[in-house]
PDB file of all heavy atoms in Angstrom:
ATOM      1  N   THR A   1       2.576   5.522   3.678  1.00 77.00           N
ATOM      2  CA  THR A   1       1.150   5.511   3.969  1.00 77.00           C
ATOM      3  C   THR A   1       0.496   4.505   3.025  1.00 77.00           C
ATOM      4  O   THR A   1       0.808   4.476   1.837  1.00 77.00           O
ATOM      5  CB  THR A   1       0.536   6.903   3.736  1.00 77.00           C
ATOM      6  OG1 THR A   1       1.234   7.847   4.531  1.00 77.00           O
ATOM      7  CG2 THR A   1      -0.935   6.921   4.092  1.00 77.00           C
ATOM      8  N   PHE A   2      -0.415   3.698   3.555  1.00 73.00           N
ATOM      9  CA  PHE A   2      -1.085   2.702   2.734  1.00 73.00           C
ATOM     10  C   PHE A   2      -2.546   3.080   2.513  1.00 73.00           C
ATOM     11  O   PHE A   2      -3.173   3.706   3.357  1.00 73.00           O
ATOM     12  CB  PHE A   2      -0.992   1.317   3.390  1.00 73.00           C
ATOM     13  CG  PHE A   2       0.389   0.737   3.322  1.00 73.00           C
ATOM     14  CD1 PHE A   2       1.318   0.999   4.316  1.00 73.00           C
ATOM     15  CD2 PHE A   2       0.764  -0.043   2.247  1.00 73.00           C
ATOM     16  CE1 PHE A   2       2.600   0.483   4.242  1.00 73.00           C
ATOM     17  CE2 PHE A   2       2.054  -0.564   2.167  1.00 73.00           C
ATOM     18  CZ  PHE A   2       2.967  -0.299   3.166  1.00 73.00           C
ATOM     19  N   ILE A   3      -3.063   2.675   1.376  1.00 72.00           N
ATOM     20  CA  ILE A   3      -4.460   2.886   1.038  1.00 72.00           C
ATOM     21  C   ILE A   3      -5.293   1.981   1.936  1.00 72.00           C
ATOM     22  O   ILE A   3      -4.933   0.830   2.185  1.00 72.00           O
ATOM     23  CB  ILE A   3      -4.696   2.557  -0.448  1.00 72.00           C
ATOM     24  CG1 ILE A   3      -3.892   3.528  -1.333  1.00 72.00           C
ATOM     25  CG2 ILE A   3      -6.169   2.595  -0.804  1.00 72.00           C
ATOM     26  CD1 ILE A   3      -3.869   3.158  -2.788  1.00 72.00           C
ATOM     27  N   ASP A   4      -6.408   2.485   2.437  1.00 64.00           N
ATOM     28  CA  ASP A   4      -7.254   1.718   3.351  1.00 64.00           C
ATOM     29  C   ASP A   4      -7.879   0.491   2.707  1.00 64.00           C
ATOM     30  O   ASP A   4      -8.130  -0.506   3.358  1.00 64.00           O
ATOM     31  CB  ASP A   4      -8.369   2.595   3.922  1.00 64.00           C
ATOM     32  CG  ASP A   4      -7.837   3.633   4.889  1.00 64.00           C
ATOM     33  OD1 ASP A   4      -6.733   3.430   5.440  1.00 64.00           O
ATOM     34  OD2 ASP A   4      -8.513   4.643   5.087  1.00 64.00           O
ATOM     35  N   ILE A   5      -8.157   0.549   1.427  1.00 62.00           N
ATOM     36  CA  ILE A   5      -8.815  -0.569   0.748  1.00 62.00           C
ATOM     37  C   ILE A   5      -7.738  -1.401   0.049  1.00 62.00           C
ATOM     38  O   ILE A   5      -7.123  -0.951  -0.908  1.00 62.00           O
ATOM     39  CB  ILE A   5      -9.839  -0.066  -0.286  1.00 62.00           C
ATOM     40  CG1 ILE A   5     -10.875   0.822   0.402  1.00 62.00           C
ATOM     41  CG2 ILE A   5     -10.495  -1.236  -1.010  1.00 62.00           C
ATOM     42  CD1 ILE A   5     -11.767   1.569  -0.550  1.00 62.00           C
ATOM     43  N   PRO A   6      -7.493  -2.632   0.517  1.00 63.00           N
ATOM     44  CA  PRO A   6      -6.487  -3.483  -0.131  1.00 63.00           C
ATOM     45  C   PRO A   6      -6.965  -3.980  -1.483  1.00 63.00           C
ATOM     46  O   PRO A   6      -8.165  -3.995  -1.761  1.00 63.00           O
ATOM     47  CB  PRO A   6      -6.304  -4.628   0.858  1.00 63.00           C
ATOM     48  CG  PRO A   6      -7.534  -4.645   1.681  1.00 63.00           C
ATOM     49  CD  PRO A   6      -8.110  -3.249   1.668  1.00 63.00           C
ATOM     50  N   GLU A   7      -6.048  -4.388  -2.310  1.00 66.00           N
ATOM     51  CA  GLU A   7      -6.346  -4.848  -3.663  1.00 66.00           C
ATOM     52  C   GLU A   7      -5.959  -6.313  -3.827  1.00 66.00           C
ATOM     53  O   GLU A   7      -5.053  -6.800  -3.169  1.00 66.00           O
ATOM     54  CB  GLU A   7      -5.548  -4.022  -4.683  1.00 66.00           C
ATOM     55  CG  GLU A   7      -5.933  -2.577  -4.755  1.00 66.00           C
ATOM     56  CD  GLU A   7      -7.215  -2.344  -5.518  1.00 66.00           C
ATOM     57  OE1 GLU A   7      -7.565  -3.169  -6.383  1.00 66.00           O
ATOM     58  OE2 GLU A   7      -7.877  -1.339  -5.235  1.00 66.00           O
ATOM     59  N   LYS A   8      -6.627  -6.995  -4.751  1.00 68.00           N
ATOM     60  CA  LYS A   8      -6.211  -8.329  -5.149  1.00 68.00           C
ATOM     61  C   LYS A   8      -5.015  -8.189  -6.089  1.00 68.00           C
ATOM     62  O   LYS A   8      -4.870  -7.171  -6.764  1.00 68.00           O
ATOM     63  CB  LYS A   8      -7.355  -9.046  -5.872  1.00 68.00           C
ATOM     64  CG  LYS A   8      -8.523  -9.387  -4.978  1.00 68.00           C
ATOM     65  CD  LYS A   8      -9.563 -10.145  -5.769  1.00 68.00           C
ATOM     66  CE  LYS A   8     -10.694 -10.587  -4.864  1.00 68.00           C
ATOM     67  NZ  LYS A   8     -11.636 -11.468  -5.577  1.00 68.00           N
ATOM     68  N   PRO A   9      -4.171  -9.208  -6.179  1.00 66.00           N
ATOM     69  CA  PRO A   9      -2.997  -9.115  -7.066  1.00 66.00           C
ATOM     70  C   PRO A   9      -3.354  -8.901  -8.527  1.00 66.00           C
ATOM     71  O   PRO A   9      -2.608  -8.275  -9.255  1.00 66.00           O
ATOM     72  CB  PRO A   9      -2.290 -10.452  -6.855  1.00 66.00           C
ATOM     73  CG  PRO A   9      -2.747 -10.920  -5.519  1.00 66.00           C
ATOM     74  CD  PRO A   9      -4.144 -10.413  -5.366  1.00 66.00           C
ATOM     75  N   PHE A  10      -4.483  -9.434  -8.989  1.00 69.00           N
ATOM     76  CA  PHE A  10      -4.965  -9.172 -10.337  1.00 69.00           C
ATOM     77  C   PHE A  10      -6.480  -9.339 -10.342  1.00 69.00           C
ATOM     78  O   PHE A  10      -7.063  -9.940  -9.436  1.00 69.00           O
ATOM     79  CB  PHE A  10      -4.280 -10.040 -11.399  1.00 69.00           C
ATOM     80  CG  PHE A  10      -4.239 -11.507 -11.073  1.00 69.00           C
ATOM     81  CD1 PHE A  10      -5.245 -12.359 -11.479  1.00 69.00           C
ATOM     82  CD2 PHE A  10      -3.162 -12.032 -10.359  1.00 69.00           C
ATOM     83  CE1 PHE A  10      -5.211 -13.702 -11.186  1.00 69.00           C
ATOM     84  CE2 PHE A  10      -3.105 -13.387 -10.060  1.00 69.00           C
ATOM     85  CZ  PHE A  10      -4.132 -14.229 -10.475  1.00 69.00           C
ATOM     86  N   SER A  11      -7.139  -8.813 -11.359  1.00 70.00           N
ATOM     87  CA  SER A  11      -8.588  -8.630 -11.322  1.00 70.00           C
ATOM     88  C   SER A  11      -9.394  -9.914 -11.132  1.00 70.00           C
ATOM     89  O   SER A  11     -10.389  -9.913 -10.420  1.00 70.00           O
ATOM     90  CB  SER A  11      -9.067  -7.895 -12.571  1.00 70.00           C
ATOM     91  OG  SER A  11      -8.726  -8.644 -13.714  1.00 70.00           O
ATOM     92  N   ASP A  12      -9.012 -11.026 -11.740  1.00 78.00           N
ATOM     93  CA  ASP A  12      -9.810 -12.252 -11.577  1.00 78.00           C
ATOM     94  C   ASP A  12      -9.154 -13.246 -10.616  1.00 78.00           C
ATOM     95  O   ASP A  12      -9.400 -14.447 -10.686  1.00 78.00           O
ATOM     96  CB  ASP A  12     -10.110 -12.901 -12.934  1.00 78.00           C
ATOM     97  CG  ASP A  12      -8.862 -13.197 -13.740  1.00 78.00           C
ATOM     98  OD1 ASP A  12      -7.764 -12.760 -13.334  1.00 78.00           O
ATOM     99  OD2 ASP A  12      -8.982 -13.864 -14.776  1.00 78.00           O
ATOM    100  N   TYR A  13      -8.370 -12.742  -9.704  1.00 78.00           N
ATOM    101  CA  TYR A  13      -7.717 -13.567  -8.690  1.00 78.00           C
ATOM    102  C   TYR A  13      -8.765 -14.176  -7.760  1.00 78.00           C
ATOM    103  O   TYR A  13      -9.621 -13.477  -7.231  1.00 78.00           O
ATOM    104  CB  TYR A  13      -6.732 -12.697  -7.899  1.00 78.00           C
ATOM    105  CG  TYR A  13      -6.025 -13.390  -6.765  1.00 78.00           C
ATOM    106  CD1 TYR A  13      -5.081 -14.378  -7.015  1.00 78.00           C
ATOM    107  CD2 TYR A  13      -6.289 -13.044  -5.444  1.00 78.00           C
ATOM    108  CE1 TYR A  13      -4.405 -14.994  -5.975  1.00 78.00           C
ATOM    109  CE2 TYR A  13      -5.616 -13.663  -4.398  1.00 78.00           C
ATOM    110  CZ  TYR A  13      -4.679 -14.640  -4.672  1.00 78.00           C
ATOM    111  OH  TYR A  13      -4.010 -15.254  -3.645  1.00 78.00           O
ATOM    112  N   ALA A  14      -8.730 -15.505  -7.567  1.00 81.00           N
ATOM    113  CA  ALA A  14      -9.739 -16.193  -6.769  1.00 81.00           C
ATOM    114  C   ALA A  14      -9.263 -16.489  -5.345  1.00 81.00           C
ATOM    115  O   ALA A  14     -10.044 -16.954  -4.521  1.00 81.00           O
ATOM    116  CB  ALA A  14     -10.133 -17.501  -7.452  1.00 81.00           C
ATOM    117  N   GLY A  15      -8.004 -16.211  -5.045  1.00 81.00           N
ATOM    118  CA  GLY A  15      -7.463 -16.506  -3.721  1.00 81.00           C
ATOM    119  C   GLY A  15      -7.888 -15.491  -2.678  1.00 81.00           C
ATOM    120  O   GLY A  15      -8.666 -14.567  -2.947  1.00 81.00           O
ATOM    121  N   THR A  16      -7.381 -15.657  -1.497  1.00 77.00           N
ATOM    122  CA  THR A  16      -7.744 -14.774  -0.387  1.00 77.00           C
ATOM    123  C   THR A  16      -6.660 -13.760  -0.043  1.00 77.00           C
ATOM    124  O   THR A  16      -6.891 -12.864   0.767  1.00 77.00           O
ATOM    125  CB  THR A  16      -8.064 -15.600   0.873  1.00 77.00           C
ATOM    126  OG1 THR A  16      -6.903 -16.379   1.223  1.00 77.00           O
ATOM    127  CG2 THR A  16      -9.251 -16.511   0.631  1.00 77.00           C
ATOM    128  N   GLU A  17      -5.479 -13.914  -0.591  1.00 75.00           N
ATOM    129  CA  GLU A  17      -4.394 -12.966  -0.306  1.00 75.00           C
ATOM    130  C   GLU A  17      -4.716 -11.610  -0.914  1.00 75.00           C
ATOM    131  O   GLU A  17      -5.305 -11.522  -1.993  1.00 75.00           O
ATOM    132  CB  GLU A  17      -3.062 -13.473  -0.866  1.00 75.00           C
ATOM    133  CG  GLU A  17      -2.565 -14.743  -0.221  1.00 75.00           C
ATOM    134  CD  GLU A  17      -2.195 -14.535   1.233  1.00 75.00           C
ATOM    135  OE1 GLU A  17      -1.602 -13.493   1.557  1.00 75.00           O
ATOM    136  OE2 GLU A  17      -2.507 -15.423   2.053  1.00 75.00           O
ATOM    137  N   ILE A  18      -4.325 -10.557  -0.225  1.00 70.00           N
ATOM    138  CA  ILE A  18      -4.523  -9.202  -0.731  1.00 70.00           C
ATOM    139  C   ILE A  18      -3.215  -8.450  -0.666  1.00 70.00           C
ATOM    140  O   ILE A  18      -2.275  -8.855   0.017  1.00 70.00           O
ATOM    141  CB  ILE A  18      -5.610  -8.445   0.074  1.00 70.00           C
ATOM    142  CG1 ILE A  18      -5.248  -8.431   1.567  1.00 70.00           C
ATOM    143  CG2 ILE A  18      -6.976  -9.056  -0.155  1.00 70.00           C
ATOM    144  CD1 ILE A  18      -6.144  -7.573   2.406  1.00 70.00           C
ATOM    145  N   ILE A  19      -3.141  -7.365  -1.386  1.00 68.00           N
ATOM    146  CA  ILE A  19      -1.962  -6.503  -1.402  1.00 68.00           C
ATOM    147  C   ILE A  19      -2.359  -5.162  -0.809  1.00 68.00           C
ATOM    148  O   ILE A  19      -3.332  -4.551  -1.240  1.00 68.00           O
ATOM    149  CB  ILE A  19      -1.454  -6.284  -2.845  1.00 68.00           C
ATOM    150  CG1 ILE A  19      -1.063  -7.616  -3.483  1.00 68.00           C
ATOM    151  CG2 ILE A  19      -0.290  -5.311  -2.866  1.00 68.00           C
ATOM    152  CD1 ILE A  19      -0.748  -7.483  -4.962  1.00 68.00           C
ATOM    153  N   LYS A  20      -1.605  -4.720   0.196  1.00 67.00           N
ATOM    154  CA  LYS A  20      -1.816  -3.367   0.698  1.00 67.00           C
ATOM    155  C   LYS A  20      -1.006  -2.433  -0.185  1.00 67.00           C
ATOM    156  O   LYS A  20       0.182  -2.635  -0.388  1.00 67.00           O
ATOM    157  CB  LYS A  20      -1.351  -3.259   2.158  1.00 67.00           C
ATOM    158  CG  LYS A  20      -2.271  -3.953   3.134  1.00 67.00           C
ATOM    159  CD  LYS A  20      -1.795  -3.761   4.549  1.00 67.00           C
ATOM    160  CE  LYS A  20      -2.043  -2.326   4.966  1.00 67.00           C
ATOM    161  NZ  LYS A  20      -1.718  -2.060   6.372  1.00 67.00           N
ATOM    162  N   LEU A  21      -1.644  -1.434  -0.722  1.00 67.00           N
ATOM    163  CA  LEU A  21      -0.988  -0.533  -1.654  1.00 67.00           C
ATOM    164  C   LEU A  21      -0.542   0.751  -0.968  1.00 67.00           C
ATOM    165  O   LEU A  21      -1.256   1.304  -0.142  1.00 67.00           O
ATOM    166  CB  LEU A  21      -1.934  -0.190  -2.807  1.00 67.00           C
ATOM    167  CG  LEU A  21      -2.400  -1.385  -3.630  1.00 67.00           C
ATOM    168  CD1 LEU A  21      -3.417  -0.941  -4.652  1.00 67.00           C
ATOM    169  CD2 LEU A  21      -1.220  -2.061  -4.294  1.00 67.00           C
ATOM    170  N   GLN A  22       0.641   1.211  -1.363  1.00 69.00           N
ATOM    171  CA  GLN A  22       1.138   2.469  -0.832  1.00 69.00           C
ATOM    172  C   GLN A  22       0.406   3.616  -1.506  1.00 69.00           C
ATOM    173  O   GLN A  22       0.071   3.555  -2.677  1.00 69.00           O
ATOM    174  CB  GLN A  22       2.634   2.606  -1.066  1.00 69.00           C
ATOM    175  CG  GLN A  22       3.444   1.640  -0.246  1.00 69.00           C
ATOM    176  CD  GLN A  22       4.908   1.749  -0.547  1.00 69.00           C
ATOM    177  OE1 GLN A  22       5.339   2.644  -1.244  1.00 69.00           O
ATOM    178  NE2 GLN A  22       5.681   0.832  -0.030  1.00 69.00           N
ATOM    179  N   ASN A  23       0.196   4.663  -0.751  1.00 69.00           N
ATOM    180  CA  ASN A  23      -0.447   5.858  -1.245  1.00 69.00           C
ATOM    181  C   ASN A  23       0.628   6.935  -1.409  1.00 69.00           C
ATOM    182  O   ASN A  23       1.528   7.037  -0.592  1.00 69.00           O
ATOM    183  CB  ASN A  23      -1.514   6.306  -0.233  1.00 69.00           C
ATOM    184  CG  ASN A  23      -2.340   7.443  -0.736  1.00 69.00           C
ATOM    185  OD1 ASN A  23      -2.442   7.671  -1.937  1.00 69.00           O
ATOM    186  ND2 ASN A  23      -2.938   8.164   0.177  1.00 69.00           N
ATOM    187  N   ASN A  24       0.541   7.713  -2.459  1.00 66.00           N
ATOM    188  CA  ASN A  24       1.462   8.827  -2.700  1.00 66.00           C
ATOM    189  C   ASN A  24       2.895   8.349  -2.903  1.00 66.00           C
ATOM    190  O   ASN A  24       3.837   8.970  -2.447  1.00 66.00           O
ATOM    191  CB  ASN A  24       1.391   9.844  -1.551  1.00 66.00           C
ATOM    192  CG  ASN A  24       2.015  11.167  -1.920  1.00 66.00           C
ATOM    193  OD1 ASN A  24       2.179  11.492  -3.089  1.00 66.00           O
ATOM    194  ND2 ASN A  24       2.380  11.941  -0.917  1.00 66.00           N
ATOM    195  N   SER A  25       3.074   7.220  -3.558  1.00 66.00           N
ATOM    196  CA  SER A  25       4.414   6.690  -3.812  1.00 66.00           C
ATOM    197  C   SER A  25       5.171   7.614  -4.730  1.00 66.00           C
ATOM    198  O   SER A  25       4.586   8.190  -5.627  1.00 66.00           O
ATOM    199  CB  SER A  25       4.318   5.317  -4.449  1.00 66.00           C
ATOM    200  OG  SER A  25       3.767   4.426  -3.529  1.00 66.00           O
ATOM    201  N   PRO A  26       6.464   7.749  -4.594  1.00 68.00           N
ATOM    202  CA  PRO A  26       7.339   7.106  -3.629  1.00 68.00           C
ATOM    203  C   PRO A  26       7.547   7.945  -2.368  1.00 68.00           C
ATOM    204  O   PRO A  26       8.499   7.734  -1.635  1.00 68.00           O
ATOM    205  CB  PRO A  26       8.644   6.983  -4.397  1.00 68.00           C
ATOM    206  CG  PRO A  26       8.687   8.248  -5.203  1.00 68.00           C
ATOM    207  CD  PRO A  26       7.241   8.502  -5.592  1.00 68.00           C
ATOM    208  N   HIS A  27       6.667   8.900  -2.121  1.00 77.00           N
ATOM    209  CA  HIS A  27       6.850   9.793  -0.985  1.00 77.00           C
ATOM    210  C   HIS A  27       6.588   9.062   0.334  1.00 77.00           C
ATOM    211  O   HIS A  27       5.584   8.371   0.464  1.00 77.00           O
ATOM    212  CB  HIS A  27       5.918  10.996  -1.098  1.00 77.00           C
ATOM    213  CG  HIS A  27       6.148  11.746  -2.371  1.00 77.00           C
ATOM    214  ND1 HIS A  27       5.297  11.638  -3.456  1.00 77.00           N
ATOM    215  CD2 HIS A  27       7.129  12.586  -2.748  1.00 77.00           C
ATOM    216  CE1 HIS A  27       5.757  12.393  -4.443  1.00 77.00           C
ATOM    217  NE2 HIS A  27       6.870  12.976  -4.041  1.00 77.00           N
ATOM    218  N   PRO A  28       7.464   9.255   1.284  1.00 82.00           N
ATOM    219  CA  PRO A  28       7.276   8.605   2.586  1.00 82.00           C
ATOM    220  C   PRO A  28       6.108   9.212   3.363  1.00 82.00           C
ATOM    221  O   PRO A  28       5.639  10.302   3.065  1.00 82.00           O
ATOM    222  CB  PRO A  28       8.591   8.882   3.323  1.00 82.00           C
ATOM    223  CG  PRO A  28       9.543   9.359   2.300  1.00 82.00           C
ATOM    224  CD  PRO A  28       8.739   9.950   1.189  1.00 82.00           C
ATOM    225  N   SER A  29       5.695   8.489   4.389  1.00 84.00           N
ATOM    226  CA  SER A  29       4.709   9.011   5.336  1.00 84.00           C
ATOM    227  C   SER A  29       5.436   9.948   6.302  1.00 84.00           C
ATOM    228  O   SER A  29       6.654  10.117   6.232  1.00 84.00           O
ATOM    229  CB  SER A  29       4.092   7.857   6.126  1.00 84.00           C
ATOM    230  OG  SER A  29       5.091   7.224   6.924  1.00 84.00           O
ATOM    231  N   THR A  30       4.703  10.528   7.227  1.00 88.00           N
ATOM    232  CA  THR A  30       5.336  11.364   8.253  1.00 88.00           C
ATOM    233  C   THR A  30       6.404  10.562   8.984  1.00 88.00           C
ATOM    234  O   THR A  30       7.517  11.050   9.207  1.00 88.00           O
ATOM    235  CB  THR A  30       4.275  11.887   9.241  1.00 88.00           C
ATOM    236  OG1 THR A  30       3.316  12.649   8.498  1.00 88.00           O
ATOM    237  CG2 THR A  30       4.891  12.746  10.323  1.00 88.00           C
ATOM    238  N   GLU A  31       6.090   9.322   9.346  1.00 89.00           N
ATOM    239  CA  GLU A  31       7.072   8.454  10.008  1.00 89.00           C
ATOM    240  C   GLU A  31       8.294   8.214   9.120  1.00 89.00           C
ATOM    241  O   GLU A  31       9.428   8.198   9.588  1.00 89.00           O
ATOM    242  CB  GLU A  31       6.430   7.116  10.390  1.00 89.00           C
ATOM    243  CG  GLU A  31       7.386   6.118  11.010  1.00 89.00           C
ATOM    244  CD  GLU A  31       7.967   6.550  12.347  1.00 89.00           C
ATOM    245  OE1 GLU A  31       7.309   7.317  13.071  1.00 89.00           O
ATOM    246  OE2 GLU A  31       9.100   6.126  12.659  1.00 89.00           O
ATOM    247  N   GLY A  32       8.066   8.042   7.813  1.00 87.00           N
ATOM    248  CA  GLY A  32       9.176   7.847   6.881  1.00 87.00           C
ATOM    249  C   GLY A  32      10.102   9.051   6.832  1.00 87.00           C
ATOM    250  O   GLY A  32      11.330   8.915   6.768  1.00 87.00           O
ATOM    251  N   TYR A  33       9.515  10.252   6.872  1.00 89.00           N
ATOM    252  CA  TYR A  33      10.354  11.453   6.895  1.00 89.00           C
ATOM    253  C   TYR A  33      11.138  11.541   8.203  1.00 89.00           C
ATOM    254  O   TYR A  33      12.283  11.981   8.218  1.00 89.00           O
ATOM    255  CB  TYR A  33       9.516  12.713   6.666  1.00 89.00           C
ATOM    256  CG  TYR A  33       9.150  12.893   5.209  1.00 89.00           C
ATOM    257  CD1 TYR A  33       7.837  12.773   4.779  1.00 89.00           C
ATOM    258  CD2 TYR A  33      10.127  13.184   4.260  1.00 89.00           C
ATOM    259  CE1 TYR A  33       7.501  12.931   3.446  1.00 89.00           C
ATOM    260  CE2 TYR A  33       9.800  13.339   2.925  1.00 89.00           C
ATOM    261  CZ  TYR A  33       8.490  13.215   2.519  1.00 89.00           C
ATOM    262  OH  TYR A  33       8.172  13.376   1.188  1.00 89.00           O
ATOM    263  N   TYR A  34      10.547  11.111   9.292  1.00 92.00           N
ATOM    264  CA  TYR A  34      11.293  11.048  10.562  1.00 92.00           C
ATOM    265  C   TYR A  34      12.474  10.096  10.423  1.00 92.00           C
ATOM    266  O   TYR A  34      13.574  10.366  10.911  1.00 92.00           O
ATOM    267  CB  TYR A  34      10.407  10.589  11.714  1.00 92.00           C
ATOM    268  CG  TYR A  34       9.367  11.573  12.176  1.00 92.00           C
ATOM    269  CD1 TYR A  34       8.129  11.135  12.614  1.00 92.00           C
ATOM    270  CD2 TYR A  34       9.613  12.943  12.184  1.00 92.00           C
ATOM    271  CE1 TYR A  34       7.155  12.029  13.042  1.00 92.00           C
ATOM    272  CE2 TYR A  34       8.649  13.843  12.612  1.00 92.00           C
ATOM    273  CZ  TYR A  34       7.422  13.387  13.041  1.00 92.00           C
ATOM    274  OH  TYR A  34       6.468  14.273  13.459  1.00 92.00           O
ATOM    275  N   GLN A  35      12.251   8.960   9.774  1.00 90.00           N
ATOM    276  CA  GLN A  35      13.320   7.977   9.588  1.00 90.00           C
ATOM    277  C   GLN A  35      14.459   8.555   8.749  1.00 90.00           C
ATOM    278  O   GLN A  35      15.636   8.345   9.050  1.00 90.00           O
ATOM    279  CB  GLN A  35      12.750   6.705   8.954  1.00 90.00           C
ATOM    280  CG  GLN A  35      11.789   5.980   9.869  1.00 90.00           C
ATOM    281  CD  GLN A  35      10.946   4.945   9.150  1.00 90.00           C
ATOM    282  OE1 GLN A  35      11.088   4.704   7.957  1.00 90.00           O
ATOM    283  NE2 GLN A  35      10.041   4.317   9.902  1.00 90.00           N
ATOM    284  N   ILE A  36      14.120   9.297   7.715  1.00 90.00           N
ATOM    285  CA  ILE A  36      15.149   9.982   6.919  1.00 90.00           C
ATOM    286  C   ILE A  36      15.881  10.988   7.792  1.00 90.00           C
ATOM    287  O   ILE A  36      17.101  11.127   7.723  1.00 90.00           O
ATOM    288  CB  ILE A  36      14.518  10.674   5.699  1.00 90.00           C
ATOM    289  CG1 ILE A  36      14.019   9.637   4.697  1.00 90.00           C
ATOM    290  CG2 ILE A  36      15.508  11.628   5.035  1.00 90.00           C
ATOM    291  CD1 ILE A  36      13.204  10.219   3.562  1.00 90.00           C
TER     292      ILE A  36
END
C-alpha cells in the first residue's frame, strides 16, 4: 500500500521527480497477502 501524498527525494530537491512511499512497511497490502 502506498501513501497518497508522494514525497521529494530530499527536502530541498528542486526537480520534479517524486517518490511514492509505502505505507505500513514491510507489511504487504491485501493484494500482497494474496500473492504470498
Side-chain angles (χ1 to χ4, degrees):
T1 304
F2 288 88
I3 296 170
D4 290 338
I5 302 169
E7 294 283 334
K8 292 183 176 187
F10 49 91
S11 60
D12 56 351
Y13 177 69
T16 59
E17 295 293 320
I18 56 173
I19 299 172
K20 287 182 72 175
L21 300 175
Q22 291 177 9
N23 187 22
N24 196 20
S25 294
H27 302 103
S29 64
T30 301
E31 177 64 28
Y33 283 112
Y34 289 145
Q35 294 165 3
I36 291 171

